């Protein structure tokens, strides 16, 4: 039996922070294999957002750690994310969507006190229409957010909560504690 591998304290604390946060009930998290060639240490989570038992958004959050640091990261830890969701066609066609998608990320991090630096990324909007043997639902739209940032310390709980808020925004979930008008039933209705 091989002896356990000692992890750097910074990385171990960062992973513990990612594991400790509880997302809202519509978001399920799962630890998945992390890419091994990007940094000496890596950890990854995948997420699925469910609304009425339908998967409406997915994402992946990867923690990278290089104990000697990385110039472009401006630190030793780096978080990398990929989030995607299907959108209503009108929303997906909105030319303001990329800016709104980027604001979902930055506002979510700020709202949860996830202090960071060296943030960068892309927001992609696509429209798809199926034809021939793939004919099916009408035109659909998607948003894809890819980003990375450097946390200023190794407590990543606020970063995970911010990331979950990004997933919720991308999936079109109402803020916690708010019920969408379409979800309200009249008093006495079954």
């Amino acid at each position: 039996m091989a002896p356990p591998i000692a992890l750097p304290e910074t990385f171990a604390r960062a992973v513990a922070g990612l594991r400790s946060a509880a997302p809202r009930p519509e978001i399920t998290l799962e630890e998945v294999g992390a890419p091994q060639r990007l940094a000496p240490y890596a950890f990854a989570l995948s997420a699925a957002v469910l609304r009425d038992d339908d998967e409406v958004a997915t994402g992946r959050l990867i923690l990278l750690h290089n104990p000697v640091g990385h110039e472009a990261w401006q630190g030793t830890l780096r978080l990398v994310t990929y989030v995607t969701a299907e959108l209503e066609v009108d929303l997906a066609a909105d030319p303001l969507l990329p800016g709104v998608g980027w604001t979902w990320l930055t506002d979510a991090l700020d709202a949860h006190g996830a202090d960071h630096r060296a943030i960068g990324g892309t927001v992609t909007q696509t429209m798809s229409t199926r034809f021939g043997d793939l004919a099916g639902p009408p035109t659909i739209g998607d948003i894809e957010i890819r980003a990375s940032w450097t946390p200023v310390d190794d407590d990543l709980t606020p970063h995970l909560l911010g990331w979950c808020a990004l997933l919720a925004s991308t999936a079109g979930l109402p803020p916690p504690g708010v019920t969408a008008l379409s979800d309200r039933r009249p008093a006495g209705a079954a």
Side-chain angles (χ1 to χ4, degrees):
M1 188 161 142
I5 297 172
L7 297 175
E9 192 174 318
T10 298
F11 181 70
R13 274 194 308 268
V15 169
L18 292 176
R19 286 177 170 156
S20 71
R24 52 192 286 179
E26 301 94 338
I27 301 173
T28 57
L29 299 177
E30 179 182 354
E31 291 183 25
V32 294
Q36 298 300 309
R37 295 184 180 162
L38 301 176
Y41 301 92
F43 175 80
L45 293 169
S46 70
V49 182
L50 300 176
R51 186 173 54 220
D52 300 326
D53 295 324
D54 290 328
E55 187 175 275
V56 293
T58 59
R60 182 173 269 213
L61 183 67
I62 302 167
L63 167 64
L64 304 174
H65 176 58
N66 187 336
V68 298
H70 192 287
E71 186 178 334
W73 297 357
Q74 301 176 23
T76 62
L77 295 171
R78 189 76 173 164
L79 288 166
V80 180
T81 189
Y82 168 80
V83 172
T84 186
E86 189 173 306
L87 299 175
E88 294 176 14
V89 173
D90 292 346
L91 183 58
D94 190 326
L96 300 176
L97 179 63
V100 170
W102 187 253
T103 301
W104 288 338
L105 170 63
T106 58
D107 285 356
L109 293 175
D110 292 346
H112 288 87
D115 294 332
H116 59 277
R117 62 179 162 254
I119 190 168
T122 62
V123 177
T124 305
Q125 63 193 105
T126 60
M127 302 284 288
S128 300
T129 305
R130 298 176 182 173
F131 297 96
D133 289 344
L134 294 177
T139 301
I140 57 171
D142 292 293
I143 185 171
E144 176 184 288
I145 301 169
R146 293 177 183 262
S148 63
W149 63 94
T150 298
V152 297
D153 61 38
D154 58 14
D155 178 8
L156 298 191
T157 302
H159 294 269
L160 180 72
L161 294 174
W163 182 65
C164 288
L166 167 66
L167 284 160
S169 294
T170 306
L173 298 180
V178 174
T179 302
L181 290 176
S182 63
D183 294 341
R184 294 189 65 207
R185 291 189 174 100

